[in-house]
Amino acid sequence: MLAPDNFFDLRDAETAEFFAACTHVWDVLPQLGRHVARLTGGVQTIHGEVMPGAYLGEQPVYIGAGARIEPGAYVQGPAYIGPDAVVRHGAFVRENVIMLAGSILGHASEAKNALFLPGAHAPHFAYVGDSVLGHNVNLGAGTKLSNLGGLSEKDAQTGKRPSIVLTVDGVAIDTNLAKLGAILGDGVQTGCNTVLNPGCLVGPRTLIYANLSLRKGVYPADSLVKLRQTVQIVARRPG
C-alpha cells in the first residue's frame, strides 16, 4: 500500500532507479541529494536555453536539451532540469530539485527537495516542498504542498523537530522525516488554491477539489476528494 509501485509506473528504468532502495514511497526524499549529484556529476552543464534575465547559482546544475529557464527565474541548485522541462518566469528552484522530461515549474512557484516525474506540472503560484509529483500530475493554480507542521518546534536540547507520523489502517507509521510534503501518484490533479498538509499521500488518478485543505493521510487511487460548503446570500441593508 505504501510502496512506490502503488503510486507510480516504474517500468521506465530512469524512474525506477529513484525508488530502487525504497520500502516506503517517502524514502526517496532523503536520497534526492544523492540523485542530484549523480545526475549533474557535480558540475554545471547547459544543453538547453537559459534566457536573458534568468539566474543560475553556483551550485551544480544540469539543464537538458530543449529545456528552458525563463527570464526572472532563479535556479539556486543543486538541481537537475531534464529535457524539455521548463522553469517559467519568476520561479525559484532551490536545493535538490529533480525535474524530469517535460515537467514544468511555473510563474511564482517554488520547489525544494522535490522530484517531478515526466510530464508533472506545477504551473502557477505553487509551493512544492519535500514532495514527489508523479507522471502527468497537474497542480491547480495556488496549490501548496506544505511540508512542515505548525506544531513542529525544535526540541530545546536536541535541536531536532518531531517526525511526521501517519496512521494507516489504525497503525501508526513513523516516516522518520521532520519535513514531508505530499506524494502524488501518477495523474493526480488538484484544484485551484488547494492546500495539502504535511504527510498527504494520494493514489494515482485522484482528483482533489479546489479550495480544499487536505489532512495528512493516505488517499485511495481513482477517487474524487470533494469539498462541500454552503453559500448563503442575504439582502444588504441600506447604508
Side-chain angles (χ1 to χ4, degrees), residues 3 10-11 26 30 40 46-47 56 88 117 145 149 153 159 167 210-211 237:
L10 300 181
R11 289 175 291 181
W26 58 78
T40 64
I46 301 173
H47 297 297
L56 300 184
R88 290 179 175 168
L117 295 187
L145 307 184
E153 294 183 5
T167 301
N211 296 314
R237 294 180 180 179

Side-chain angles (χ1 to χ4, degrees), residues 80-154:
Y80 175 86
I81 314 296
D84 300 313
V86 179
V87 179
R88 290 179 175 168
H89 167 76
F92 182 20
V93 179
R94 290 173 58 191
E95 67 274 13
N96 299 331
V97 172
I98 298 172
M99 298 177 61
L100 297 182
S103 57
I104 293 174
L105 184 68
H107 173 67
S109 296
E110 177 182 344
K112 170 254 179 187
N113 198 60
L115 172 61
F116 291 59
L117 295 187
H121 292 175
H124 319 282
F125 308 101
Y127 177 69
V128 183
D130 297 279
S131 297
V132 181
L133 307 187
H135 298 86
N136 302 313
V137 161
N138 189 75
L139 304 185
T143 295
K144 305 296 187 289
L145 307 184
S146 178
N147 61 343
L148 183 63
L151 300 178
S152 58
E153 294 183 5
K154 292 182 179 179

